[in-house]
Amino acid sequence: MNDVRSIALDVLERARREQAFVDDVLEQARGHELSRRDQALLTTLVLGATRYRLTLDHLAQTISGAREIEPPLRSILQVALYQMLFLRIPHYAAVDAAVRQAPARARKFVNAVLRRVQREIAPAAESPRRLLPRPGAAPLAFRSDIFPEDPVERLAVVHSHPLWLVRRWAQRWGMEKAEGILRVDNVPPPLTVRARIPRDELIARLQAEGVTARAGTRSESVVLERAGDIASLAVFREGLFQVQDETQMGVALRLSGAKLVVDLCAAPGGKAIHLLDLGSKVVAADVSLERLPAARMPADVRVLVADGRRPALKAVFDGALVDAPCSNTGVLGRRADARWRLRPKDVTAMTGVQRALLAAARGLVAPGGRVVYSTCSIEPEENEEVAGPGETTLPTERAGGGFLAVVGGVGRDSEDNRRP
């Protein structure tokens, strides 16, 4: 356990110093010789402390009276507090480990903060300023008004989201619906895959490799539990499934029946392969071969390194897909630190690119063809204001949120060169 806590601390500090995605640093840390159980705990500690960073920092600073806590100590407190508040780990164990991890000059401070938080925990409370919501568990009560008085600020702190984003959602959706989205963002999402063989057969193969698997809500989806390193699975190496959210599985289906399809933002390739499995011939275009390695794509998919706004394609396609780059506000639960990288300007930063991609796609389809525009955003500036009316899906416990619209093309009448 102590080794896992130390590794978790190292991951958080390295991600901070290098300004790297915590998921990427965590993936490298899994190279340690850890049991599957310890790998799961490491993931829980790192992603939990990252998701709840604002909540944990608020508690540490409020309890200590410090205006700011230096980064190494902040990470130590985050890991310890996450265990104390959200996991069934004895408080003494979390406190003891944190004190030993702290430099000698700060051990009394770390011990005092954690012990005071421990004493603040109460059997029950009625005031919302004393309640901390927890995924899958009853709210944790405190003895004093430890959270902000302003309702929007309080939502931001207890659900650990940027204040500007919470204000935006509260204004658009109302407080109740906004809080529902915030809650879902903090529920560790399941690992969902799309079966490329009959689903029951894939589940049986997964179970034979020691993976707990069950049917998802879509006919082709499978939910994996305690899968560990999926790249080590034989079924993964054989290409029998693809990691994909259930909402994402519905995007390619809107182009089902199209004989020739171009995917203008194809990386990392999941939707292009889905289109292939649906019987289409596919051109998968992206700006970088590193983002869309040809070696990982089936031979039947033509990989094209090109800017989707100017793809230099002459073929007239039956369908086009624009899975546009966006702010990803509909899938903040998938990447624990994505919420902390967002800035208000990011909501409109890509609208010019999105419109150009959509225009290029519409110019590549034959009359009567379909263009599917999708994002992982729930912001109107990136969705309806770009593509017109469509379907916005808010995040739920089973899937992320996003936007999908099907529009007509403005393509050419030419029938020449209809093969990629």
Side-chain angles (χ1 to χ4, degrees):
M1 170 70 81
N2 288 337
D3 288 340
V4 174
R5 290 190 179 102
S6 297
I7 296 170
L9 181 59
D10 289 342
V11 169
L12 292 173
E13 279 298 288
R14 184 181 163 194
R16 178 189 63 80
R17 290 193 306 268
E18 300 177 5
Q19 297 185 339
F21 281 106
V22 71
D23 284 320
D24 297 336
V25 181
L26 179 60
E27 186 63 32
Q28 297 171 20
R30 291 195 184 104
H32 291 273
E33 293 184 0
L34 297 174
S35 66
R36 181 174 289 186
R37 180 179 179 181
D38 282 347
Q39 286 187 22
L41 178 59
L42 174 64
T43 300
T44 298
L45 290 177
V46 170
L47 299 188
T50 301
R51 284 193 185 96
Y52 277 98
R53 189 174 81 187
L54 178 59
T55 308
L56 304 174
D57 288 349
H58 174 85
L59 285 168
Q61 291 177 245
T62 301
I63 288 292
S64 68
R67 296 184 63 182
E68 188 172 350
I69 300 174
E70 61 188 47
L73 292 183
R74 192 163 68 234
S75 296
I76 290 171
L77 290 170
Q78 287 168 355
V79 173
L81 286 171
Y82 182 73
Q83 294 172 79
M84 294 170 64
L85 304 179
F86 294 95
L87 301 183
R88 295 179 179 178
I89 290 176
H91 289 186
Y92 72 84
V95 174
D96 180 67
V99 170
R100 285 188 286 104
Q101 288 172 334
R105 61 178 174 77
R107 286 175 182 165
K108 287 185 178 180
F109 173 79
V110 169
N111 183 69
V113 171
L114 297 179
R115 294 298 184 189
R116 286 191 61 188
V117 170
Q118 190 176 13
R119 290 194 295 270
E120 272 286 334
I121 296 174
E126 294 184 2
S127 169
R129 295 188 63 189
R130 301 185 180 192
L131 292 173
L132 174 63
R134 298 183 297 175
L140 189 66
F142 292 89
R143 300 185 187 280
S144 58
D145 293 337
I146 205 163
F147 298 117
E149 182 177 2
D150 178 79
V152 177
E153 290 184 23
R154 185 168 62 250
L155 282 186
V157 170
V158 299
H159 293 291
S160 197
H161 278 66
L163 178 58
W164 70 267
L165 188 60
V166 179
R167 281 180 174 153
R168 176 185 175 87
W169 287 349
Q171 290 171 359
R172 182 184 179 198
W173 303 108
M175 292 288 284
E176 184 177 351
K177 188 173 288 188
E179 185 170 15
I181 298 171
L182 299 174
R183 287 181 183 274
V184 169
D185 279 353
N186 288 328
V187 176
L191 176 59
T192 309
V193 303
R194 182 180 63 83
R196 301 190 67 210
I197 58 175
R199 182 169 66 178
D200 291 345
E201 182 181 341
L202 176 62
I203 291 175
R205 289 283 304 273
L206 286 164
Q207 291 174 342
E209 293 197 55
V211 176
T212 302
R214 58 180 172 82
T217 60
R218 286 187 173 273
S219 60
E220 68 272 46
S221 65
V222 177
V223 179
L224 311 187
E225 298 175 0
R226 297 183 294 277
D229 181 12
I230 64 170
S232 65
L233 300 174
V235 286
F236 177 82
R237 295 194 299 271
E238 293 174 34
L240 303 185
F241 69 81
Q242 284 197 295
V243 177
Q244 199 171 44
D245 287 344
E246 289 184 327
T247 49
Q248 294 176 345
M249 295 178 196
V251 175
L253 290 174
R254 298 300 180 98
L255 288 168
S256 180
K259 295 180 180 178
L260 181 60
V261 178
V262 59
D263 183 351
L264 290 181
C265 304
K271 294 180 179 67
I273 296 176
H274 194 180
L275 288 165
L276 178 70
D277 292 344
L278 290 170
S280 299
K281 292 182 179 180
V282 183
V283 174
D286 207 88
V287 293
S288 170
L289 190 61
E290 292 180 357
R291 286 170 44 83
L292 188 65
R296 297 183 187 176
M297 300 293 288
D300 292 338
V301 175
R302 178 186 168 190
V303 175
L304 177 67
V305 179
D307 185 333
R309 294 169 293 181
R310 297 174 293 276
L313 288 168
K314 296 182 180 179
V316 177
F317 294 83
D318 303 294
L321 171 61
V322 177
D323 187 32
C326 65
S327 63
N328 293 302
T329 56
V331 290
L332 295 183
R334 281 285 169 196
R335 299 209 70 160
D337 53 359
R339 68 188 70 178
W340 308 125
R341 294 172 177 269
L342 273 176
R343 299 293 181 268
K345 64 181 181 181
D346 294 336
V347 173
T348 56
M350 300 300 294
T351 53
V353 174
Q354 292 158 355
R355 289 191 176 96
L357 286 166
L358 183 58
R362 296 186 69 191
L364 288 172
V365 298
R370 282 167 287 164
V371 175
V372 170
Y373 175 90
S374 67
T375 73
C376 291
S377 167
I378 56 175
E379 313 308 320
E381 293 93 331
E382 301 182 285
N383 297 330
E384 296 92 340
E385 294 179 18
V386 172
E391 176 185 353
T392 300
T393 304
L394 298 182
T396 70
E397 292 188 13
R398 295 182 299 176
F403 177 81
L404 189 149
V406 180
V407 301
V410 295
R412 302 178 293 275
D413 292 323
S414 172
E415 291 293 325
D416 61 318
N417 197 17
R418 289 184 59 83
R419 290 179 292 180

